[in-house]
Amino acid sequence: MKVISLLYLFAAILWVRCDDKGDSEIISEEYVLELKEENFDSVIESNDIVFVEFYAEQCGVCQALAPEYAKAATILAEAGSSVKLAKVDAIVETALAGKYKVDGYPTMLLFRKGTTPVSYERGRSANDIVGWLNKKSAPPAKQLQNMEEARTSIDSNDIFAIGFFADQSTDDAKMFFRVADKIDDFTMGITSDRDTFKEHAAKNGDIVIFAKYSDSPIRYEGEFNEDSLENFFSTHSLPPLVEMTNETLVPIFRGVIKTSLFIFLSKSDDNAQVIEEEVRYVATLYHTKLRFVLLNTDNQINQQIQTYLRVGRRQEPFMRIINLSGMVKFKPEHDQLTVANIKKFVEDFLDGKIGKYLASEDIPEDWNKGPVYHLVGDTFQDVAFDFEKDVLVEFYAPWCGVCKNLAPTYIEVGEHFTSNSDVIIAKLDVTVNEIPTRQISGVPTIILYKKGQNEEIEYGGPHSFEGIVKFVESGGQEGRKGEERTEDENGDGGSSSKKDEL
């Protein structure tokens, strides 16, 4: 079962606009090609651009996507587009799914002649799909023949970039085209027109972004290489302070800039507008170093993101710096959202003066009173790494169905070991707590921390009283993850190795 991994969080959020359609009209799949192993290569090779959805019949997100996907195919076909839309049943066509490393559904890939497949991670509505495919099927940068075309492009786009190249056959111009082809967040143009050069005070080789959020053009001044230029475009693809929305979610999480300062703020707060302006000012000073993201905690989808980020819920506004690559978090000394405090937090982070922060709930008063100890981030190490005790910890999530089914059995295990002073049975909610030794990727995960050496041994046996007790009493030898078990050992009620992904 896959529930709240980042991919599935994207899927849930990107579907907010189109998941409540009631008895919507049935869209014909006339223009969607059904591909199998025997015809896949021939279709890809005989078309310049093919967009392929790898799906599973039982996947809810795939079912919701189907009418939008068919609608997108119809729009493109009726517009005379050369782009073909196709689909592959990944459960049946396992060889194709394996070849293209499909590990979740739907997986959507763009195939263009002479290039490697490109993964699609944008919105799931027909308009989202059509817009992205139109951009990918057009030249990476629009040819601007004169000043009027340049003006029209700048005025009609929130963000528009222009490459000024007198000779478009040079290596630098070709590099501009290559980078432009990677950028999905805004469109670009290229010009060799002298009058357009003059109007924008541009020199040969200049690259300039015209953004409605900026009072003046933003000129590229970095080294002329692909990584640096791509980082420039990604940095300025969003305003200095960006609000988390359906449209900005993917650029924030998937962009080149991986470190963001998140402001968690209720828009209903009496001081919300003042705080937002304070943050916006600081963002203009440091936005090339890290991204500044405003997350309105009144929004239900943003609350899901807040849970995913594991920063906890609070009534008052607060801030955290988060590296989204490894989900590493940094906490300020004080959470007051003033210009001075925000600047100090950013400068201390950039100077390496702040250590990473692990999320933790408050310690419950009765955390060690029952048969199963309730651990939090702040108590985990002291308990789990007790050299004199074997400590079994279940890492769970409140929404996890498998965890809920396991709960009564796990309490029974705790009661069994109550009289054994050498054993502690404990649990930890990974949605609001973090541990320093590993990143838990699925729940429930059950780990035994052995006394004397603190060796971590993960349980891979059935979720049964007998199986878990045997695992503890054998010192983690019976039922450890990776050990082969017979069908009888797993049993129908064992739920062996079933997990919900985080």
Side-chain angles (χ1 to χ4, degrees):
M1 297 174 66
K2 295 185 177 181
V3 182
I4 227 142
S5 66
L6 183 57
L7 174 63
Y8 286 84
L9 179 67
F10 283 171
I13 292 170
L14 294 171
W15 271 110
V16 164
R17 291 167 290 175
C18 53
D19 64 357
D20 188 19
K21 296 185 179 298
D23 297 326
S24 58
E25 61 176 323
I26 297 175
I27 306 296
S28 169
E29 292 194 342
E30 175 185 358
Y31 298 108
V32 179
L33 306 175
E34 182 76 45
L35 301 186
K36 302 179 184 298
E37 187 175 8
E38 55 265 28
N39 68 349
F40 188 91
D41 289 342
S42 63
V43 170
I44 298 299
E45 291 167 4
S46 61
N47 291 279
D48 290 334
I49 302 179
V50 184
F51 190 53
V52 181
E53 175 206 359
F54 291 84
Y55 72 96
E57 286 284 358
Q58 301 305 315
C59 163
V61 177
C62 301
Q63 293 168 7
L65 172 62
E68 293 293 315
Y69 197 70
K71 183 178 178 181
T74 301
I75 292 171
L76 290 167
E78 293 180 349
S81 173
S82 61
V83 178
K84 303 296 183 186
L85 267 66
K87 62 181 183 178
V88 172
D89 186 337
I91 302 302
V92 175
E93 302 296 331
T94 54
L96 286 175
K99 180 178 180 179
Y100 294 105
K101 297 179 173 60
V102 174
D103 58 4
Y105 313 107
T107 291
M108 304 162 80
L109 300 177
L110 179 70
F111 292 81
R112 289 190 296 188
K113 282 187 176 179
T115 63
T116 56
V118 176
S119 177
Y120 177 77
E121 294 173 344
R122 315 299 290 187
R124 298 311 203 236
S125 72
N127 288 339
D128 289 327
I129 294 169
V130 169
W132 188 79
L133 290 174
N134 281 337
K135 184 179 187 304
K136 288 300 183 183
S137 59
K142 177 183 178 182
Q143 289 289 341
L144 305 173
Q145 304 294 345
N146 51 55
M147 288 189 297
E148 189 57 38
E149 289 186 3
R151 289 172 187 161
T152 300
S153 295
I154 292 169
D155 292 342
S156 60
N157 289 279
D158 289 338
I159 304 175
F160 190 76
I162 299 179
F164 294 86
F165 295 95
D167 181 357
Q168 296 183 23
S169 67
T170 63
D171 289 342
D172 285 351
K174 291 177 181 177
M175 188 192 75
F176 172 76
F177 277 115
R178 287 196 301 273
V179 176
D181 193 38
K182 298 178 184 178
I183 303 301
D184 296 332
D185 302 315
F186 57 89
T187 53
M188 303 192 196
I190 189 168
T191 186
S192 302
D193 178 61
R194 291 183 179 181
D195 291 333
T196 305
F197 272 59
K198 185 176 180 180
E199 179 166 86
H200 297 289
K203 305 186 301 296
N204 183 42
D206 279 358
I207 297 171
V208 183
I209 292 176
F210 300 87
K212 285 187 168 55
Y213 67 74
S214 176
D215 294 333
S216 58
I218 305 165
R219 297 179 182 274
Y220 179 61
E221 297 177 348
E223 295 182 11
F224 221 85
N225 60 66
E226 289 193 29
D227 289 343
S228 181
L229 184 55
E230 186 177 353
N231 186 68
F232 169 73
F233 286 141
S234 183
T235 297
H236 298 286
S237 63
L238 296 169
L241 175 62
V242 57
E243 185 165 354
M244 181 73 76
T245 65
N246 290 346
E247 289 72 28
T248 62
L249 173 75
V250 173
I252 289 169
F253 276 92
R254 293 297 198 197
V256 173
I257 297 176
K258 297 302 182 185
T259 303
S260 298
L261 189 152
F262 284 86
I263 304 295
F264 300 91
L265 170 69
S266 166
K267 286 294 188 76
S268 60
D269 189 294
D270 292 341
N271 296 318
Q273 189 171 350
V274 173
I275 291 172
E276 187 171 340
E277 289 308 312
E278 301 262 82
V279 176
R280 193 183 311 279
Y281 170 72
V282 180
T284 60
L285 304 177
Y286 298 99
H287 75 283
T288 59
K289 305 290 186 182
L290 67 166
R291 200 177 297 288
F292 286 70
V293 180
L294 179 66
L295 193 144
N296 178 14
T297 56
D298 297 331
N299 181 286
Q300 186 176 2
I301 294 299
N302 284 348
Q303 290 170 9
Q304 292 182 39
I305 296 172
Q306 200 170 349
T307 298
Y308 171 77
L309 295 173
R310 302 183 196 181
V311 293
R313 300 281 178 84
R314 298 170 56 176
Q315 292 296 321
E316 66 275 11
F318 66 101
M319 59 182 169
R320 297 288 183 269
I321 290 175
I322 304 176
N323 182 304
L324 297 171
S325 293
M327 212 51 66
V328 179
K329 290 180 277 293
F330 300 86
K331 181 181 179 180
E333 184 179 354
H334 304 290
D335 262 321
Q336 292 91 341
L337 296 179
T338 62
V339 168
N341 202 42
I342 300 169
K343 284 179 67 175
K344 183 180 187 305
F345 182 34
V346 171
E347 289 171 358
D348 286 350
F349 168 76
L350 294 175
D351 291 340
K353 296 179 180 179
I354 303 177
K356 69 178 183 179
Y357 155 76
L358 295 174
S360 177
E361 292 178 279
D362 292 335
I363 302 173
E365 289 184 8
D366 59 348
W367 69 273
N368 60 349
K369 302 301 182 187
V372 177
Y373 286 15
H374 181 175
L375 303 185
V376 298
D378 289 341
T379 58
F380 171 78
Q381 281 190 279
D382 289 341
V383 175
F385 297 117
D386 186 333
F387 278 93
E388 298 180 355
K389 299 181 187 296
D390 285 324
V391 181
L392 186 74
V393 182
E394 177 208 356
F395 298 92
Y396 75 98
W399 45 258
C400 164
V402 182
C403 304
K404 291 176 182 177
N405 291 336
L406 173 62
T409 300
Y410 199 70
I411 291 173
E412 189 179 353
V413 172
E415 290 171 343
H416 175 80
F417 286 105
T418 299
S419 59
N420 188 335
S421 60
D422 292 333
V423 176
I424 291 175
I425 307 298
K427 64 179 182 179
L428 183 142
D429 180 353
V430 296
T431 67
V432 286
N433 298 284
E434 292 172 308
I435 62 173
T437 54
R438 64 158 64 189
Q439 187 170 353
I440 303 298
S441 60
V443 287
T445 291
I446 300 174
I447 296 176
L448 177 67
Y449 296 86
K450 290 189 66 174
K451 62 183 176 183
Q453 58 209 60
N454 287 339
E455 179 187 359
E456 297 184 7
I457 305 174
E458 185 172 345
Y459 181 59
H463 291 166
S464 64
F465 172 80
E466 294 78 9
I468 298 173
V469 167
K470 190 180 293 185
F471 175 66
V472 176
E473 291 179 341
S474 67
Q477 296 309 301
E478 295 196 37
R480 68 188 297 160
K481 186 175 180 180
E483 180 185 57
E484 292 188 7
R485 297 177 301 281
T486 66
E487 187 175 339
D488 290 341
E489 284 176 320
N490 285 337
D492 292 339
S495 303
S496 174
S497 300
K498 282 188 178 179
K499 290 186 181 183
D500 285 345
E501 286 190 13
L502 284 170

